[in-house]
Amino acid sequence: MTQSPQSSQPDHPASQGAGTVLDRFGEWARRTPRAPALITGDETVPYAQLDAESDRLARHLTDADLPAHGLVALALPRQRELVTALLAVLKAGRVYTVLDVADPRGGRRQLAALAPDLLIAGPADAARLDAGKGLRVLHPGEGADGTAPPPPPAPGHGAAVLFTGAATPRPVPVGHALLLAAYEGWAETARLTPGDRHLFTAGPDTTPFAAGWTRALCSGGALVLPETAAWLPGHALRAVRTAEVSVLHTDPAGAAELLSEQESIAPFRREPDAELRSLRLLAVSGDRLYLDEHSALQDRLRPGARVLNVYALTEAAGTGAWFELPQLPRPLDGPERISLLGTPFPGCRVRVLDGQLTVDPPGGGETVATGDLGVLRPDGLLEFAGRAADRIEAEDGTRIDPYPLESEIRTHAAVGTALVSRVAVAGGGHRLVAYLSPPHGLPAEVLPDTARLREHLKGKVPADAVPRAVVRMRALPRTRAGREDRTQVPQPPLLLAPVGGGRGGGKSGGVRTAGAAGSQDVVPLAFGLGCGAPLLGLLARVFTGVIWPGSTDLTGVPNPWALLFWILYLCESLAFGAGVVFLFSGRGPMLAQRRGRGITTAAHLAIAYLLIAWWPQDNLYRLAAKQDWPRQAALVYAFNVPLMVAALVVAVYATRKPVSPFDFDD
């Protein structure tokens, strides 16, 4: 069965092949040459200057013997250089893609999914990303001295290659018609004006920015960006305040962080924030907002300001559906359980087919099967109902949609966000685990433990759908595009083992977690200490007389002293056996403490040394003549000084706080 809300389908110029986003930018560069186009830190770049700088680089690109409509990858941490290069690539009739320079591994993965004809990057970034592939590289500033404007771009359909917001990003080609149609949909929905100043908190390689820059530069507004590719804590708020940002494009985590900064300025304040008085529009994309979260954001802005929750697809160049509270005909009960997608963007068509959402991008194009679940409500609004890929198997083998369960968990007053996952139990079987983070402004300690959560859910959900453990977190992990990332949730330590099927052993979604390692190794460690250590200790006791003849000879020693010495020798041998077992099995459980990989490795080796060293040390001491000072000194320095160092390392490890932001409750 197909359901579809009413969708706006105006006659876009893009649908007739007329115009591009470059035409819109060029028009503003001619009409308002002195108006600010870019604001980065203390620097303001007017439209005319940005137009001229991109012209010079475009001239160089057209003279660089690149294939027609070739792909140019951009890896530029300086935002001004990035925007200039992006415009220049389009002016040269080529296709741009933006790589992740904040994480070279992510950038290399993106680059591996492409075959770019040119990489524009600084020497250091080019070396990190190229990895010996021999890519053709252009460094910023090279060939930028020409004065002749570039020739008109050759006719072509390709404009950009964007990356999806999944944990493993997928490249998506986007044409000029779609890029322009997406801009026009945003212009109508957000009511963009030339006086707007747009702040983007998303990474430059993500769709919100890589396609969203058009919202500013095609409407005569200004882009407000950090000097480099990453926002640091407090920078977004300062940019809103100092640059008088009027339109903020962010994700749920970015919006919460912005309000957290405000909370630290005025704790427990719930009236509109004076620091955000310039904002007229807060556009939140990347993931869903529940109605209570949406309302909380709305309350923090000045009267008349708008909060849009945008359901955006990369295949639709950052468009899809949008919702704001005035779309509701009346308030709804249970806002903690409801997430609305609202109505389609102008030019888009969103349908519900057999419970799953499909989107027809603006300006034409193939229908996109999103994999998300949805409902068309009687009031004509689309409601989010979860994701098909997130369905999990319960203990009795039935299939569970976690979204309704997570929504029910959110009705607990101490829960802000919730995510339910299925993890394997050490020894076999699986259990449901709830990952919880607190409401905005509250510490993780307020979250319910397992018993309280189970009591809260009693009678509200099926018994086999009630989570068996709780993991408390200050915030749920998210992808760079802002979506909750189920592959990055930690495994509860000791109780649970990692789920199989990831990309490699001991990994969850391809990323090894300390919790997973510890839970995986605790059983072999316990077995080894209980069985292997005594066996190795007895073998050491037997071989003592072979390696150090006479070192444990108790002839002539009266009791009870002979018995005490014999017990000491046995303890040394058993400690040796325990040390060997711990050397090969102890690192995993120590990693579960999440105190840092380096100090954990050092402490692991130190503990093994503290246990192993007594057996050879004491036997060598007993064989050394009391007046053999050179040998006595060598033994002291060879064994006692390392023992002191090892004890110091263990002390540092024991007093170091865990580096993970997670609090566990099993």
Side-chain angles (χ1 to χ4, degrees):
M1 179 179 178
T2 301
Q3 295 174 295
S4 177
Q6 291 185 354
S7 58
S8 175
Q9 296 267 11
D11 187 15
H12 286 286
S15 65
Q16 303 173 357
T20 66
V21 292
L22 273 181
D23 296 330
R24 302 299 175 91
F25 168 75
E27 181 182 351
W28 287 109
R30 291 187 294 273
R31 289 174 54 186
T32 58
R34 297 181 181 178
L38 280 179
I39 300 174
T40 59
D42 296 330
E43 185 179 25
T44 299
V45 182
Y47 268 86
Q49 184 176 349
L50 181 60
D51 189 38
E53 291 177 355
S54 58
D55 271 354
R56 287 195 290 271
L57 180 55
R59 174 79 259 181
H60 183 69
L61 293 175
T62 56
D63 294 340
D65 194 27
L66 293 175
H69 320 306
L71 179 62
V72 179
L74 309 178
L76 299 166
R78 287 182 55 83
Q79 300 291 70
R80 176 176 175 176
E81 293 176 345
L82 174 63
V83 176
T84 301
L86 189 151
L87 289 168
V89 171
L90 291 179
K91 289 182 176 184
R94 270 66 178 185
V95 179
Y96 72 84
T97 190
V98 183
L99 303 181
D100 181 4
V101 291
D103 179 8
R105 290 177 298 179
R108 285 193 292 269
R109 284 195 296 268
Q110 292 170 335
L111 200 58
L114 306 168
D117 300 288
L118 180 69
L119 172 65
I120 302 182
D125 289 314
R128 282 193 292 266
L129 293 171
D130 187 11
K133 295 184 178 64
L135 290 174
R136 184 177 177 184
V137 178
L138 175 66
H139 299 311
E142 291 182 357
D145 297 330
T147 56
H157 300 290
V161 174
L162 309 177
F163 287 97
T164 61
T168 303
R170 174 174 54 85
V172 176
V174 170
H176 279 282
L178 176 55
L179 203 59
L180 178 62
Y183 158 71
E184 292 184 333
W186 267 97
E188 181 177 334
T189 301
R191 303 166 200 162
L192 303 179
T193 71
D196 282 327
R197 296 189 173 193
H198 298 254
L199 173 65
F200 289 82
T201 64
D205 60 301
T206 62
T207 297
F209 178 82
W213 61 270
T214 60
R215 301 167 207 167
L217 298 184
C218 294
S219 64
L223 270 174
V224 180
L225 300 170
E227 293 184 11
T228 57
W231 289 102
L232 298 176
H235 281 192
L237 178 61
R238 284 196 294 273
V240 171
R241 182 177 64 247
T242 58
E244 296 186 342
V245 168
S246 59
V247 181
L248 173 61
H249 305 268
T250 188
D251 58 33
E257 181 180 350
L258 191 69
L259 297 185
S260 295
E261 295 167 4
Q262 285 300 101
E263 191 70 36
S264 65
I265 297 172
F268 310 114
R269 181 176 62 189
R270 288 295 177 267
E271 67 271 14
D273 290 317
E275 293 291 325
L276 305 178
R277 63 185 179 274
S278 64
L279 280 182
R280 71 165 188 85
L281 176 66
L282 172 61
V284 182
S285 61
D287 212 345
R288 64 187 183 273
L289 286 177
Y290 285 92
L291 284 183
D292 62 325
E293 296 174 313
H294 199 132
S295 180
L297 290 173
Q298 187 73 64
D299 291 343
R300 302 299 292 273
L301 301 184
R302 62 177 172 81
R306 305 170 66 198
V307 177
L308 304 185
N309 189 197
V310 179
Y311 176 71
L313 275 68
T314 300
E315 293 86 350
T319 61
W322 63 283
F323 171 76
E324 63 178 334
L325 292 176
Q327 291 180 4
L328 280 174
R330 59 177 179 79
L332 299 179
D333 296 330
E336 306 90 350
R337 299 184 179 93
I338 301 173
S339 176
L340 295 180
L341 305 181
T343 58
F345 266 78
C348 286
R349 185 182 184 189
V350 183
R351 291 173 290 177
V352 181
L353 177 62
D354 295 330
Q356 299 202 27
L357 294 169
T358 65
V359 176
D360 294 339
E366 296 182 1
T367 298
V368 180
T370 66
D372 294 335
L373 309 177
V375 175
L376 181 59
R377 297 165 50 88
D379 55 17
L381 298 176
L382 288 161
E383 181 176 347
F384 182 78
R387 297 186 173 99
D390 294 342
R391 287 173 173 157
I392 53 182
E393 187 174 321
E395 295 177 37
D396 64 356
T398 59
R399 301 287 289 176
I400 295 176
D401 281 325
Y403 176 74
L405 174 57
E406 294 161 355
S407 300
E408 191 63 49
I409 292 174
R410 290 196 75 252
T411 63
H412 192 291
V415 176
T417 54
L419 188 151
V420 176
S421 183
R422 175 179 180 264
V423 298
V425 179
H430 293 81
R431 295 292 184 270
L432 293 183
V433 177
Y435 297 86
L436 309 179
S437 66
H440 162 65
L442 297 180
E445 288 74 15
V446 306
L447 290 165
D449 59 15
T450 304
R452 291 194 179 111
L453 180 64
R454 292 175 66 84
E455 181 65 27
H456 173 72
L457 295 176
K458 187 176 181 180
K460 300 177 182 178
V461 300
D464 59 359
V466 177
R468 301 289 294 274
V470 164
V471 177
R472 295 166 170 160
M473 307 175 68
R474 288 198 288 270
L476 296 182
R478 294 182 181 271
T479 66
R480 282 176 55 79
R483 175 177 290 189
E484 290 176 357
D485 190 353
R486 293 174 185 268
T487 69
Q488 293 295 319
V489 293
Q491 303 294 330
L494 304 183
L495 174 65
L496 301 169
V499 178
R503 289 174 294 170
K507 295 190 178 185
S508 173
V511 179
R512 183 179 179 92
T513 65
S519 60
Q520 192 176 27
D521 295 335
V522 67
V523 172
L525 173 61
F527 177 83
L529 291 176
C531 301
L535 179 60
L536 289 172
L538 290 175
L539 289 174
R541 185 75 183 91
V542 170
F543 280 98
T544 299
V546 176
I547 302 174
W548 299 287
S551 66
T552 57
D553 185 5
L554 295 175
T555 302
V557 179
N559 280 319
W561 315 114
L563 176 61
L564 292 177
F565 282 126
W566 185 88
I567 293 174
L568 173 64
Y569 303 157
L570 179 62
C571 290
E572 292 172 353
S573 300
L574 291 175
F576 172 82
V580 173
V581 170
F582 192 82
L583 179 64
F584 290 98
S585 303
R587 189 166 183 263
M590 291 184 68
L591 283 172
Q593 304 302 314
R594 305 187 72 89
R595 300 176 189 272
R597 189 169 292 272
I599 187 62
T600 296
T601 299
H604 170 232
L605 296 175
I607 293 173
Y609 180 81
L610 287 171
L611 291 169
I612 291 172
W614 295 107
W615 179 55
Q617 171 185 258
D618 277 9
N619 282 290
L620 289 170
Y621 270 138
R622 287 189 286 270
L623 293 176
K626 300 302 180 184
Q627 306 303 319
D628 188 351
W629 305 120
R631 188 171 185 181
Q632 290 283 352
L635 290 173
V636 167
Y637 277 91
F639 286 102
N640 287 0
V641 171
L643 286 172
M644 299 173 195
V645 173
L648 179 62
V649 170
V650 174
V652 172
Y653 169 81
T655 56
R656 180 163 180 169
K657 293 182 179 180
V659 298
S660 168
F662 312 130
D663 295 316
F664 298 100
D665 178 84
D666 295 326

